[in-house]
Amino acid sequence: MPAIEPLPFRIRVPGEDVIDLSGIRSISYRVEGLLHLVDQTLVFEWSATETTERVGFKGIRTGVDESPVGRREVPADRIAEARLRGGWLWPQLVLRARRLDAFEGMPGGKTAALILQIGRRYRKQAKALVAAIELARETAALPSPQAVTELDAGE
């Protein structure tokens, strides 16, 4: 299988707005990362930035908090479906897991589906990655040659 370059992605995480006695607070999140396919494992690396804008009696203040780099490895056989959607204009890589905890600890990974926003210029690369993930899933589903030999010896 030819090597596929890491795929840059963004994850859309909803922000929040709070209005209380101390003023108005608007919090937004930005998550960017890379997705690698190493052997039969998807490796996600990401960094997240939280921006808080406060408007109150003391004026307008902005605070930026950067999280440390996160990393999560997911075996390809835990992926039930990998597909590209959104057409040419807004491509998205949709990964649906076989287990609820597959994307645990990742931003936007609280469910069994993870939606990665892909830049238009990386659409062809994303298509190749989907094909490689499908191939890795199929390969992971096959028994090892040693297991087949052990089965034959038992007959």
Side-chain angles (χ1 to χ4, degrees):
M1 173 182 346
I4 297 175
E5 291 292 315
L7 181 67
F9 66 84
R10 292 179 310 279
I11 299 176
R12 188 180 315 244
V13 179
E16 58 186 289
D17 296 322
V18 178
I19 300 173
D20 56 20
L21 294 176
S22 65
I24 301 170
R25 211 171 42 242
S26 179
I27 303 170
S28 61
Y29 305 95
R30 182 179 180 99
V31 179
E32 295 180 333
L34 292 173
L35 171 57
H36 310 265
L37 181 61
V38 180
D39 297 323
Q40 295 174 346
T41 304
L42 282 78
V43 180
F44 298 87
E45 297 177 311
W46 70 89
S47 65
T49 305
E50 177 183 298
T51 304
T52 305
E53 296 176 327
R54 299 174 193 269
V55 178
F57 296 113
K58 296 180 180 179
I60 300 172
R61 293 178 286 159
T62 301
V64 178
D65 184 27
E66 304 238 357
S67 69
V69 173
R71 180 181 169 94
R72 175 84 172 148
E73 294 183 9
V74 179
D77 62 353
R78 290 200 182 156
I79 302 296
E81 178 186 22
R83 66 186 165 94
L84 199 57
R85 75 173 189 195
W88 180 82
L89 194 56
W90 306 108
Q92 298 174 329
L93 176 60
V94 179
L95 300 170
R96 193 171 52 84
R98 295 186 192 281
R99 298 172 42 161
L100 287 174
D101 64 348
F103 305 121
E104 188 175 49
M106 291 185 64
K110 292 181 181 175
T111 64
L114 185 65
I115 300 172
L116 306 177
Q117 310 292 324
I118 307 298
R120 281 188 294 250
R121 65 180 169 177
Y122 299 110
R123 192 172 192 289
K124 186 183 259 186
Q125 184 178 339
K127 276 184 172 181
L129 185 61
V130 167
I133 291 170
E134 291 299 320
L135 181 62
R137 283 182 47 225
E138 291 171 11
T139 305
L142 297 175
S144 69
Q146 181 181 1
V148 172
T149 306
E150 290 172 5
L151 287 175
D152 290 339
E155 290 180 5

